[in-house]
Amino acid sequence: MIVSIRSVMQRLRFIVIFFLATYVVVQLLGVVSAWIAPVNKYREPQGRAVKVFHPNVELELEPEQFRERLKLYYWLGE
């Protein structure tokens, strides 16, 4: 089997360029995702905004109301 040094160098060059391009794209996506992500998404709202979710409030549902909500959930598939 005869292996040309030129073809081996071309393949090696392709592999190196491929890995460099992959690394650059991954770093670019990391920068873009850090730029898009909010700083603190759980902070208190400002202005006239109202925070809807209150984790410390107990929700008391009667069994029939719970069944109706569960049936609606399965029916709509959400």
Side-chain angles (χ1 to χ4, degrees), residues 66-78:
F66 178 75
R67 274 189 236 123
E68 288 297 318
R69 289 177 60 134
L70 187 62
K71 188 168 81 173
L72 181 65
Y73 173 80
Y74 285 128
W75 186 11
L76 296 177
E78 293 183 15

Side-chain angles (χ1 to χ4, degrees), residues 9-56:
M9 292 306 287
Q10 285 178 344
R11 286 179 191 238
L12 185 62
R13 181 174 158 237
F14 174 77
I15 291 171
V16 168
I17 291 173
F18 177 77
F19 281 119
L20 284 175
T22 303
Y23 178 76
V24 167
V25 168
V26 168
Q27 293 301 319
L28 183 64
L29 288 176
V31 168
V32 169
S33 68
W35 176 62
I36 290 176
V39 177
N40 183 6
K41 60 183 177 181
Y42 298 110
R43 66 179 169 75
E44 290 293 325
Q46 299 172 350
R48 294 179 39 186
V50 178
K51 190 162 188 169
V52 177
F53 180 72
H54 299 287
N56 297 334

